[in-house]
Amino acid sequence: MLLLALDTATPAVTVALHDGSRVIAESRQVDARRHGELLLPAVDRVLAEAGTKLDAVTGLVVGVGPGPYTGLRVGLVTAATFGAALGIPVHGLCSLDGLAYAAGLDEPFVVATDARRKEVYWARYADARTRLTEPAVDRPADLAEQMAGVPAVGAGALLYDAVFTGVRREGPEHQSAAALAALAAEKLAAGEEFLPDRPLYLRRPDAQVPANYKVVTPQ
């Protein structure tokens, strides 16, 4: 087994290679505006560090979000392209699950990432491997009562710590493909199912056709 994992659902552009037992190479750069520019060079670095080639990869793991439209699609399109070119499976994982796994908590907690527009993407977990709720997007103020004192990790929890009062500042802030790859390796070994490699946007993209748009081309 040689899994190539990547995720662009958060400001982190992150890639890792996992051999079924351990992570053998990884890369992470935090830059919310350069996903498309940074991802492929990161893949090249990880493969070079591991001393292998892309055609040796036996499976792909990709974070499917939730995340902002522009960044999220970079990772998903790249994974789908690699999968089609190499004829290997593409395994989708909720990006929040990767953060939960990296947190390593064995008690109920919340993962929250920054969804912009003064909102967060979030989900509840029983432990690092067990998600209790579907991913959601909400304004932090609307979550204040149910999040008070609950252990929380992620950039969203850090950003809105007046709401996520149980935030663990030592926990992971952004996604780690290394954690995503390790989680996928466990799931494969256990015969568990994955998500399809389709984006979890949870809301419409920022770019939309203006209202009252007039067609100016000849009919």
Side-chain angles (χ1 to χ4, degrees):
M1 178 189 297
L2 192 61
L3 296 174
L4 178 65
L6 51 93
D7 192 295
T8 56
T10 73
V13 179
T14 178
V15 179
L17 203 61
H18 196 288
D19 67 2
S21 299
R22 64 186 180 90
V23 173
I24 57 176
E26 63 178 300
S27 170
R28 186 172 69 164
Q29 296 169 274
V30 178
D31 191 327
R33 298 181 181 275
R34 299 173 63 208
H35 292 88
E37 180 181 345
L38 296 175
L39 182 57
L40 290 180
V43 171
D44 286 342
R45 281 197 306 276
V46 165
L47 292 171
E49 181 181 336
T52 191
K53 301 291 185 181
L54 184 60
D55 58 9
V57 172
T58 60
L60 289 145
V61 180
V62 63
V64 301
Y69 178 82
T70 302
L72 181 55
R73 65 180 179 175
V74 171
L76 285 163
V77 169
T78 300
T81 301
F82 285 166
L86 299 171
I88 58 177
V90 180
H91 307 293
L93 283 175
C94 173
S95 296
L96 300 178
D97 291 358
L99 281 160
Y101 187 85
L105 300 179
D106 59 1
E107 62 180 318
F109 68 105
V110 171
V111 173
T113 60
D114 183 13
R116 305 175 189 173
R117 303 186 193 173
K118 299 181 179 180
E119 294 178 329
V120 292
Y121 297 118
W122 67 279
R124 283 184 176 271
Y125 292 79
D127 53 48
R129 281 277 273 116
T130 310
R131 178 158 43 87
L132 298 174
T133 64
E134 291 299 314
V137 58
D138 288 290
R139 290 184 176 276
D142 296 336
L143 303 172
E145 185 174 345
Q146 57 181 304
M147 296 302 171
V150 178
V153 299
L158 289 166
L159 184 61
Y160 298 102
D161 58 359
V163 170
F164 296 92
T165 57
V167 61
R168 301 293 179 88
R169 296 187 180 279
E170 70 280 8
E173 180 177 358
H174 299 299
Q175 182 64 284
S176 161
L180 208 65
L183 174 59
E186 282 190 14
K187 289 174 71 70
L188 283 168
E192 298 177 24
E193 294 185 355
F194 289 82
L195 297 174
D197 56 335
R198 299 290 183 269
L200 292 176
Y201 291 132
L202 302 190
R203 66 186 185 201
R204 296 178 63 82
D206 292 330
Q208 299 182 29
V209 176
N212 303 317
Y213 179 76
K214 293 182 179 180
V215 176
V216 296
T217 55
Q219 298 296 319

